[in-house]
């Protein structure tokens, strides 16, 4: 409702107007109750609050302040604005009538103590906003009081003849008018003590966050009254709150204080007490809290002298390498303003007469910081962190390249070799950032979508990069042509050229110089990174659509011709030396390769760098397996050099020792001193590479597929480190051969089961409750999951697994006669994990296959036969009622499928269903009439079977003339009344 209208209504009837205001606050809490005038007059205020609490819907925890969406967000903003406007409209009249504010404060304080969350949250927000508005009034009154005091002193000092007695008397009255100040002060104390002190530790984080947010606003608005340790301590305490929302409000409030130097100078005691906590908060698990903590520390370092030690700054600088980009950018601002952006740095003026755009001192400080951080692989992260604050400095290509080209006499102290390497890496990272316009990999889920303005800046940067480096890069390559590391980085810069700019006439001569330098570098170096960078540069520059294509293509062709010419010369020289030998080329080549493999494997046995030799051996075996023997006569001979069984065993022994056994030892042993996380990651990467190389041999049939069984044994144990590699191997081998892959899985489980059985006491049999057996069962479950949901697609391999599993389970048994227990019977529990992957027809087929190994009906007499029962139940799941009833009794039906079908066939042909039911009823009733003389001779199963079959046949018969309800009721009553102990 309108505040102005309400104020007028209050002046006419304050009780009625206050009643509307009370109901307004209650309804804003989501309560449907209404306070009437009679309730307000007849009950105490606490009783009114209790009455409203009773009418509140306790099951509904929803209320306006926590609802989402633009409408409720606007509602909250309007609610807060209403309270501020209400106080503002009342400050000149009814605010000081000793009734309005007392009633509102009492109401909000009472609601804030309610057990109902909606009342407590809404009233706390209202009370805090009310106190904020009252603080503004107190500040205005205090300012007016000081202004009146100053004017009074000025007026009093005037000459008595010119003194205006009326004016002086008016100022005197205004100066001594402190009643309003006292009343406002009392209001502030009442709200602070009645609401804030009780609610800033509320169990609801939203309420705590509201209190902390408002106290930060009070301190910033009225520092003379609130900027003291009595109020600041609450913000300091809540820096340790468990909820990120509350910690964030603390940091934002402190930013408002430390951003003003006159306020920051009064924060010494708070800073000394809580500085360590704030310094640690960039490590907060919540990203936004970490970012705001970094920004707060930057404000503290700017406006508080010597608040951060050198150790604190060094720790905070390292956040420029953080993965979370907002935190890294905040740390980049801190680094730039604290370390790099010093004023008064000297400008270097080379002999050409032009000053550098950026100070060499700044550049050297950045280089030294990068070298001292010892994170030389993360220069792209450093540049990206500084980009928003030092973009102009990082794009001063002329300054950077001048430092590299000029000697020490021209630019002062020369750069060291390490500094030159670091500067070249920084140049490359800055060129990449400017040309691509998005952060490096790892600092964003996807490439950034550039705005029109950003796209324009990117194009301008690409043009500047091309125009500058196409002239300077040949000189840099000539200077560092013998240094592979520097050259490899410099050769990547042309990848970011604007090729249309390169085609301009005045730049063609510089392009020719670049191509000549690349040609010389290729001739000098054999380093793979240099050759790869050179190749990439040719690929980028050699596009048919651009004007420079002919020039680049001609240079590339000339270089290739010269390389081929040199190769031919070397080959001629080599074959001239071996021409006297009697060996033919077709014999020499396989012999040399075989010798090479033999030497490699011997090297693997004795060399400290055996993993590298193992990788080379695997690569060569893979290459040999893909030779086309149809078109290559030498390939026919090389096919005989594929690994034989002893070599395959040695390959797996190497994997077992260097990957799996070493992995288990590292997990069980404590971490070695000095071995940090990066070393562990490197070791894991090497192990994964070794395992992947070996698995490739399995996938491409270089070694037998059954060798994968040994790898699959470690699937569960090493899932965190190698699970993806093993799972991919399983998928690829299944794609190659589904049946053979299934046999490999069952072979793995059989080998593990045999190992488990051998470790058990032979007298007690296999313990299928032990942890090792549970691990085998879990591995089987994981194997089952890899077949997916398409049962039709995996029909054949799943059936093969059950067939092989049943044969293995009954291996060594002559039959199931109740006495002879098959030694591997517990293996049925393992293959039962695959039963849910069978189609219903296949389950019946597998069940029939299982019955071949059972010669007669078996009554399960002990737990040793439980695996057979469990496996059978897994096959008979979701079958018809007859099967379900039989299965529930733990009895086996006739073992031959032909007998069962014959029985059903005779039953269906011999009598109709109705006749069968009549016979059953007659038989049962006759037994009752003869004192159970006949029925007492039946065992419990026979009668239950009779009931089940009768009921089932009746249900299946659509033409049955009897009502099934009475029939079944009669049968069961007869059964339960029989006194026979056998039943």
């Amino acid at each position: 409702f309108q505040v102005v209208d309400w104020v007028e209504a209050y002046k006419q009837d304050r009780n009625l107007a206050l009643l509307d205001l009370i109901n307004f606050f209650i309804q804003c809490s989501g309560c449907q109750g209404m306070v009437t005038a009679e309730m307000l007059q007849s009950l105490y205020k606490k009783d009114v609050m209790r009455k409203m609490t009773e009418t509140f819907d306790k099951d509904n925890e929803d209320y306006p302040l926590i609802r989402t969406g633009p409408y409720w967000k606007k509602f909250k903003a309007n609610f807060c604005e209403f309270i501020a406007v209400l106080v503002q409209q009342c400050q000149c009249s009814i605010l000081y009538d000793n009734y309005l504010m007392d009633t509102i404060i009492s109401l909000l304080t009472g609601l804030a103590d309610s057990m109902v969350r909606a009342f407590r949250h809404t009233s706390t927000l209202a009370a805090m906003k009310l106190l904020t508005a009252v603080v503004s009034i107190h500040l205005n009154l205090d300012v007016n009081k000081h202004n009146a005091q100053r004017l009074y002193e000025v007026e009093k000092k005037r000459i008595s003849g010119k003194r205006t007695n009326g004016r002086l008397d008016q100022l005197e009255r205004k100066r001594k008018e402190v009643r309003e100040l006292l009343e406002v002060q009392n209001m502030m104390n009442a709200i602070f003590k009645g609401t804030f002190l009780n609610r800033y530790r509320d169990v609801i984080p939203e309420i705590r966050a509201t209190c902390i947010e408002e106290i930060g606003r009070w301190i910033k608005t009225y520092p003379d009254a609130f900027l003291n340790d009595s109020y600041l301590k609450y913000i300091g305490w809540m820096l340790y709150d468990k909820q990120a929302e509350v910690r964030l409000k603390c940091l934002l409030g402190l930013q408002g204080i430390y951003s003003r130097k006159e306020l920051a100078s009064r924060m010494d005691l708070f800073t000394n007490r809580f500085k360590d906590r704030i310094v640690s908060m960039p490590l907060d698990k919540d990203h936004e809290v970490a970012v705001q903590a970094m920004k707060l520390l930057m404000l503290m370092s700017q406006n508080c002298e010597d608040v951060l030690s050198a150790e604190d700054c060094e720790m905070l600088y390292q956040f420029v390498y953080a993965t979370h980009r907002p935190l890294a950018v905040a740390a980049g601002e801190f680094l730039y303003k604290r370390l790099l952006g010093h004023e008064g740095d000297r400008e270097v003026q080379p002999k050409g007469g032009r000053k550098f755009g950026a100070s060499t001192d700044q550049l050297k400080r950045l280089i030294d910081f990068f070298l001292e951080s010892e994170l030389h692989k993360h220069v792209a992260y450093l540049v990206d962190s500084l980009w928003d604050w030092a973009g102009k400095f990082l794009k001063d290509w002329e300054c950077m390249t001048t430092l590299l080209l000029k000697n020490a006499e021209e630019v002062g102290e020369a750069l060291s070799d390490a500094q030159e390497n670091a500067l070249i890496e920084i140049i490359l990272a800055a060129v990449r950032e400017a040309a691509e316009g998005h952060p490096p990999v790892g600092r964003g889920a996807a490439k950034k979508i550039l705005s029109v303005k950003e796209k324009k800046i990117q194009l301008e940067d690409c043009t500047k990069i091309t125009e500058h480096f196409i002239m300077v890069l040949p000189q840099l390559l000539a200077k560092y042509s013998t240094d592979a590391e520097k050259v490899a980085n410099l050769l990547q810069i042309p990848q970011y050229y604007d090729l249309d700019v390169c085609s301009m006439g005045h730049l063609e001569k510089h392009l020719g110089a670049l191509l000549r330098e690349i040609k010389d570098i290729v001739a000098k170096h054999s380093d793979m990174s240099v050759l790869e960078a050179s190749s990439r540069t040719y690929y980028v520059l050699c596009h048919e659509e651009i004007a420079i294509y002919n020039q680049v293509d001609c240079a590339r062709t000339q270089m290739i011709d010269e390389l081929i010419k040199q190769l031919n010369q070397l080959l001629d020289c080599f074959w001239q030396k071996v021409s006297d030998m009697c060996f033919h080329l077709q014999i020499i080549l396989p012999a040399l390769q075989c010798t090479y493999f033999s030497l490699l494997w011997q090297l693997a046995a004795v060399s400290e760098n055996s993993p590298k030799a193992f990788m080379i051996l695997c690569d060569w075996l893979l290459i040999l397996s893909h030779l086309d023997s149809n078109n290559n006569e030498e390939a026919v001979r090389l096919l005989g050099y594929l690994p034989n069984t002893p070599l395959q065993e040695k390959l797996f022994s190497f994997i077992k020792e260097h990957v799996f056994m070493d992995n288990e030892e590292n997990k069980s042993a404590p971490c070695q001193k000095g071995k940090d996380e990066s070393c562990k990651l490197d070791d894991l990467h090497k192990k994964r590479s070794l395992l992947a190389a070996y698995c490739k041999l399995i996938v491409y049939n270089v070694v037998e597929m059954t060798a994968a069984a040994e790898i699959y044994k470690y699937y569960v144990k090493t899932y965190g480190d190698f699970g993806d590699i093993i799972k991919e191997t399983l998928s690829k081998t299944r794609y190659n051969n589904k049946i053979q892959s299934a046999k490999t899985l069952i072979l793995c489980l059989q080998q593990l089961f045999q190992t488990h059985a051998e470790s058990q006491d032979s007298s007690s049999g296999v313990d299928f409750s032990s942890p090792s057996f549970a691990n085998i069962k879990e591995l089987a479950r994981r194997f089952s999951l890899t077949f997916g949901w398409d049962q039709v697609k995996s029909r054949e391999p799943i059936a093969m697994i059950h067939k092989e599993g049943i044969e293995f389970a009954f291996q060594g048994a002559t039959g199931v006669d109740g006495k002879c227990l098959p030694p591997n019977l517990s293996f049925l529990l393992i293959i039962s994990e695959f039963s849910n992957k069978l189609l219903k027809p296949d389950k019946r087929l597998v069940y029939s296959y299982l019955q071949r190994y059972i010669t007669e009906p078996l009554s399960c007499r002990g737990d040793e036969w439980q695996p057979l029962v469990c496996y059978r139940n897994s096959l008979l799941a979701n079958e018809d009622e007859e099967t379900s009833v039989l299965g529930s009794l733990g009895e086996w039906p006739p073992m031959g499928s032909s007998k069962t079908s014959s029985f059903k066939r005779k039953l269906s042909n011999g009598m109709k269903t109705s006749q069968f039911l009549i016979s059953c009823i007659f038989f049962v009733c006759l037994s009752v009439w003869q004192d159970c003389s006949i029925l007492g001779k039946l065992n419990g199963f026979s009668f239950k079977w009779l009931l089940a079959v009768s009921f089932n046949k009746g249900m299946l018969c659509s033409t049955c003339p009897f009502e099934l309800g009475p029939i079944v009721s009669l049968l069961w009553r007869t059964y339960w009344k029989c006194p026979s102990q056998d039943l």
Side-chain angles (χ1 to χ4, degrees), residues 922-964:
F922 177 78
F923 175 75
V924 173
C925 294
L926 180 64
S927 299
V928 176
W929 294 335
Q930 296 182 0
D931 296 328
C932 299
S933 59
I934 299 177
L935 192 62
K937 297 179 182 180
L938 298 176
N939 58 22
F941 165 72
S942 301
F943 189 75
K944 291 179 181 177
W945 184 85
L946 178 62
L947 289 177
V949 174
S950 301
F951 180 75
N952 190 29
K953 288 298 179 181
M955 290 292 290
L956 295 176
C957 180
S958 60
T959 61
C960 179
F962 300 103
E963 290 291 331
L964 292 179

Side-chain angles (χ1 to χ4, degrees), residues 332 335-336 340 366 381-391 394:
L335 173 65
Y336 180 72
L340 305 178
L366 176 61
Y381 287 85
L382 173 62
V383 171
D384 180 60
S385 301
L386 293 168
W387 196 255
D388 293 348
W389 309 104
L394 291 172

Side-chain angles (χ1 to χ4, degrees), residues 632-700:
N632 194 338
E633 296 180 357
E634 288 80 9
V636 177
R637 297 178 178 270
L638 291 175
L639 290 175
Y641 293 103
L642 293 179
N644 52 20
T645 301
L647 181 56
Q648 292 185 32
E649 292 175 355
K650 291 181 180 180
L651 287 171
F652 175 73
S653 299
F654 183 91
I655 288 295
K656 184 177 181 181
E657 179 181 357
H658 288 80
V659 177
F660 296 121
M661 292 182 62
D662 190 36
N663 192 63
E664 293 178 359
E665 292 174 1
N666 290 341
K667 288 185 178 179
S668 61
C671 296
Q672 298 179 1
K673 194 173 183 179
K675 189 174 184 180
D676 55 9
E677 291 296 325
S678 62
C679 295
K680 294 179 182 178
L681 291 175
D682 291 340
D683 292 341
L684 178 60
H685 177 70
K686 293 177 181 178
K687 294 175 184 177
R688 286 174 59 86
S689 300
L690 292 173
L691 181 61
Y694 181 72
C695 289
K696 282 183 182 179
L697 300 181
I698 298 174
V699 170
Y700 290 102

